[in-house]
Amino acid sequence: ATLALWRVSVRRALGLRRSWRQKVFPWSLLAIATVPAIVNVGIGYAIKDRPWDMPDFAFITYREYVGVSTALLLFVALTAPDVVCPDRAQRVLPLLFSRPLTGTDYVVAKVGAIAGVVFGFAFLPQVVLFVGQMLVSDAALDYFTDHAEVLWQVPAAVAVLALYYAAVGVALSSLTDRRIVGGVAILGLALVTSAVAGILEAAADGDGTPLAVVNVLALPLEVRDLIFLGRLSDESGLSGVPAGGVLAVGAYLTVLLAALAVLLHRYREVDL
């Protein structure tokens, strides 16, 4: 039952078996997300046989590619309410829970569906970038061995981002039965917390401040930097803060667990 609900939710998020209007946004997003990889590979191929040597050319790095999260956030803001809100608005929950399905199963299916789609949309362009760069390099095997670490760094960083965005998006969407309200809540959280964090960072005169963790939707990017760099980036609002990495991971886990707790509480029983 959980697998069936997950499958239906994925189909709905991708617009499968729905009108063409529901298919435009998700597949356009995948195409847009793949553009930087195609550009990077195309330029690499164009300069491959040029007299000048640009072995370290990179239009975008693997780490930076994980940070192209605005499009993914828009996707979550559109699809998370669409796969959650109608179940409550149309009173489908009693029907769903008449099957061998618990509230935890429901949460796992919905969060797993959004997280799976976000992971795919963020990971596939990375595959295009890696394979393309390997093919246009002078020695494909050397490129593979020199960049072997990204084979675990990219999936780990993308999984961290996908699970977090999915849990937060579905949790906010579960608080209402109106899709537009859920979408606005997700985008509003991103805009408000990033603006507040920007003000706090400016007040710190670029020295970094622990209060930068209020930018809750940027926390996965801090964890991404720890995965790729082993430390926070110099551009991070937590840069220079003692134990800033530990603080970032702690804040990430706190928000993630809080979102899951909200969902489990919301679906602990069916509203008959």
Side-chain angles (χ1 to χ4, degrees), residues 194-271:
S194 63
V196 172
I199 294 172
L200 294 173
E201 291 169 20
D205 294 328
D207 294 332
T209 171
L211 298 178
V213 296
V214 300
N215 189 358
V216 295
L217 293 183
L219 291 175
L221 303 183
E222 307 288 5
V223 180
R224 171 208 65 183
D225 291 339
L226 294 175
I227 293 173
F228 276 93
L229 306 175
R231 57 176 177 80
L232 297 176
S233 70
D234 295 335
E235 294 79 19
S236 170
L238 294 172
S239 179
V241 175
V246 175
L247 180 60
V249 173
Y252 171 90
L253 292 175
T254 298
V255 175
L256 177 61
L257 294 176
L260 294 176
V262 168
L263 285 168
L264 293 175
H265 175 76
R266 241 344 230 165
Y267 295 103
R268 69 191 186 281
E269 60 184 20
V270 186
D271 294 333

Side-chain angles (χ1 to χ4, degrees), residues 2 6 18 26 31 44 59 73 81 83 96-98 127 136 147 159 166 172-173 191 236 240 243 268:
T2 305
W6 175 87
R18 304 177 72 185
F59 176 74
L73 179 62
V83 301
L96 290 174
F97 283 93
S98 67
V127 174
V136 302
H147 297 81
L172 290 174
S173 301
L191 294 174
S236 170
R268 69 191 186 281

Side-chain angles (χ1 to χ4, degrees), residues 27-39:
W27 296 107
S28 297
L29 170 64
L30 179 59
I32 293 171
T34 310
V35 167
I38 296 174
V39 171

Side-chain angles (χ1 to χ4, degrees), residues 108-158:
V108 168
K110 294 296 184 178
V111 173
I114 299 299
V117 176
V118 172
F119 181 90
F121 278 15
F123 184 70
L124 287 177
Q126 297 269 11
V127 174
V128 173
L129 179 61
F130 186 86
V131 174
Q133 288 288 83
M134 187 170 62
L135 293 178
V136 302
S137 64
D138 293 332
L141 184 58
D142 290 343
Y143 183 89
F144 181 88
T145 54
D146 291 343
H147 297 81
E149 68 277 2
V150 304
L151 297 180
W152 71 266
Q153 290 174 338
V154 167
V158 170

Side-chain angles (χ1 to χ4, degrees), residues 14-36:
L14 294 176
L16 302 180
R17 298 186 182 179
R18 304 177 72 185
S19 69
W20 65 269
R21 294 181 181 84
Q22 277 73 40
K23 295 181 176 67
V24 170
F25 181 80
W27 296 107
S28 297
L29 170 64
L30 179 59
I32 293 171
T34 310
V35 167

